[in-house]
């Protein structure tokens, strides 16, 4: 048995459990987002903004994936959201089984929305379905406009894209046209929200989009 | 045979070939750096700066690792350096075997320094030795000061650290003390260079460090 065969089996098994997660979440009417990005692009900041804006009217559960620390889970817990921490101990992405185990620790009856924050990695999480309704890719301005060309699999798999750290645009040589051209070369459908989690610019448009999706799911 | 056993065997095999690469490079007196970072932290910019500063007096070979494009290799080729491109087709890190194959395409007799640009990923490349003399981790200010706490394996494995995009410090809530505390918690030895590849600030100190290492190797 070769490594490639095992890898395919791992992916098949993952997809099977992801389907179970998806059915479970759907049966509870829970809208689920899987947030992926490079390290430091702003996944946790986006999560915080979303909890601040919607957390008081909507029960939002959070699953935090990290390689080796619970710093982000602590940040999120401060906003009074139920958080389950997954530490991968060096693993470079979340898997459906880890999420399945985490779901058992959340009160799904009371949950309307679930946000899964994946490990910071623009390569590996693209092939592992977790059972989410939407995969959200956070790109950030200082990473540069060439990311969609280099990490095609990730941008291809995105259902929605957030371009964060818009406030840094004046200080960086970021070619917006080139960024969009790269995105659209591999993904014609995903809406793109330009925001700054730091200043709040553009956040409301994104929140409005999320609110509509949650309502459609109810 | 379990997946974990296979993974260990893959790593053992990789280390074996990395040792062969190291011997080969040492026998030619070539100083080799393996550059790793998150996507968009500035690996290619640092490479360009190094080629601009040292390329006219020193024969520098480059191995470019990318998931799916040769954009970076094209950037480097413009500076008249011999470049070998490795496209991993979705693979999240370089391996010693890929580097071994690339070395066969370079004129090692004439090479004094080799720079390997790894795939943009702060997780997977940390466990794959390529045969380099130094592993260089590029962190960047907009990624945030918490990266050493979250991606400990990478910062632990660093022989030298570059903190890039220093020019963005005034526009970002970057806690320098926290960054250094995180680095020193896992790595007491690696020198840290604060630079901006964009403005050139701090670049000379880094270049001076590189020059000394190359001379020591000759």
């Amino acid at each position: 048995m070769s490594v490639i065969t095992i890898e395919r089996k791992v992916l098949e098994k993952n997809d099977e459990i992801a389907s179970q997660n998806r059915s479970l979440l759907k049966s509870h009417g829970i809208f689920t987002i899987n947030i992926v990005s490079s390290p430091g692009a702003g996944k946790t900041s986006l999560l915080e903004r979303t909890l601040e804006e919607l957390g008081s009217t909507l029960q939002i559960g959070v699953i935090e994936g990290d390689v080796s620390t619970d710093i982000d889970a602590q940040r999120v817990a401060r906003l009074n959201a139920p958080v389950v921490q997954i530490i991968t101990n060096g693993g470079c992405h979340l898997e459906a089984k880890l999420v399945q185990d985490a779901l058992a620790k959340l009160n799904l009856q009371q949950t309307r929305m679930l946000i899964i924050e994946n490990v910071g990695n623009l390569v590996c999480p693209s092939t592992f379905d977790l059972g989410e309704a939407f995969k959200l890719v956070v790109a950030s301005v200082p990473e540069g406009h060439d990311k969609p060309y280099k990490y095609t699999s990730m941008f291809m798999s995105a259902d929605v894209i957030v371009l964060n750290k818009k406030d840094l645009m004046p200080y960086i040589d970021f070619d917006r046209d080139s960024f969009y051209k790269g995105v659209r070369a591999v993904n014609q459908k995903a809406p793109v929200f330009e925001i700054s989690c730091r200043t709040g610019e553009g956040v409301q448009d994104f929140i409005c989009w999320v609110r509509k999706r949650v309502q459609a799911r109810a």
Side-chain angles (χ1 to χ4, degrees), chain A:
Chain A
M1 191 184 274
S2 71
V3 173
I4 289 168
T5 314
I6 288 192
E7 194 179 302
R8 199 168 55 228
K9 289 208 171 195
V10 167
L11 281 174
E12 277 170 14
K13 183 72 189 161
N14 182 78
D15 285 350
E16 197 182 308
I17 301 174
S19 290
Q20 293 167 12
N21 291 349
R22 186 166 282 114
S23 299
L24 179 68
L25 291 161
K26 204 176 171 188
S27 72
H28 284 86
I30 299 171
F31 175 65
T32 303
I33 289 183
N34 173 14
I35 310 186
V36 294
S37 81
S38 302
K43 291 184 297 302
T44 315
S45 300
L46 185 66
L47 181 46
E48 286 172 326
R49 281 282 182 183
T50 308
L51 288 171
E52 280 162 11
E53 296 289 336
L54 296 174
S56 59
T57 55
L58 212 65
Q59 182 71 7
I60 302 176
V62 176
I63 296 177
E64 267 296 338
D66 281 291
V67 178
S68 64
T69 173
D70 67 349
I71 293 177
D72 289 346
Q74 287 177 29
R75 274 173 68 177
V76 170
R78 263 177 239 131
L79 295 164
N80 296 319
V83 190
V84 180
Q85 172 79 59
I86 299 173
I87 290 181
T88 63
N89 286 317
C92 55
H93 57 86
L94 290 181
E95 293 175 19
K97 181 69 178 82
L98 295 170
V99 171
Q100 189 175 50
D101 294 346
L103 287 176
K105 296 181 188 166
L106 285 169
N107 184 340
L108 298 183
Q109 303 291 347
Q110 288 184 9
T111 305
R112 289 286 309 283
M113 179 178 177
L114 174 68
I115 304 179
I116 305 169
E117 182 178 343
N118 217 311
V119 172
N121 184 337
L122 217 48
V123 186
C124 315
S126 71
T127 45
F128 284 81
D129 182 13
L130 304 180
E132 71 271 13
F134 279 75
K135 181 175 280 179
L136 187 162
V137 174
V138 183
S140 69
V141 169
E143 287 174 78
H145 51 259
D146 58 357
K147 292 302 152 291
Y149 299 89
K150 290 181 171 177
Y151 302 88
T152 47
S153 171
M154 193 57 96
F155 283 87
M156 203 181 287
S157 72
D159 299 299
V160 53
I161 295 167
V162 165
L163 177 60
N164 189 28
K165 309 196 188 183
K166 189 185 170 149
D167 55 307
L168 295 177
M169 203 81 86
Y171 315 111
I172 291 169
D173 311 311
F174 185 90
D175 183 337
R176 191 192 259 113
D177 289 344
S178 176
F179 176 79
Y180 279 96
K181 205 175 151 192
V183 167
R184 292 308 172 214
V186 294
N187 189 324
Q188 284 78 54
K189 287 184 182 170
V192 180
F193 294 93
E194 293 188 22
I195 74 173
S196 165
C197 286
R198 189 161 179 265
T199 67
E201 192 186 349
V203 169
Q204 282 309 323
D205 290 340
F206 171 70
I207 293 297
C208 187
W209 179 90
V210 172
R211 196 182 277 120
K212 278 184 193 162
R213 292 299 166 297
V214 176
Q215 284 165 352
R217 176 69 46 145

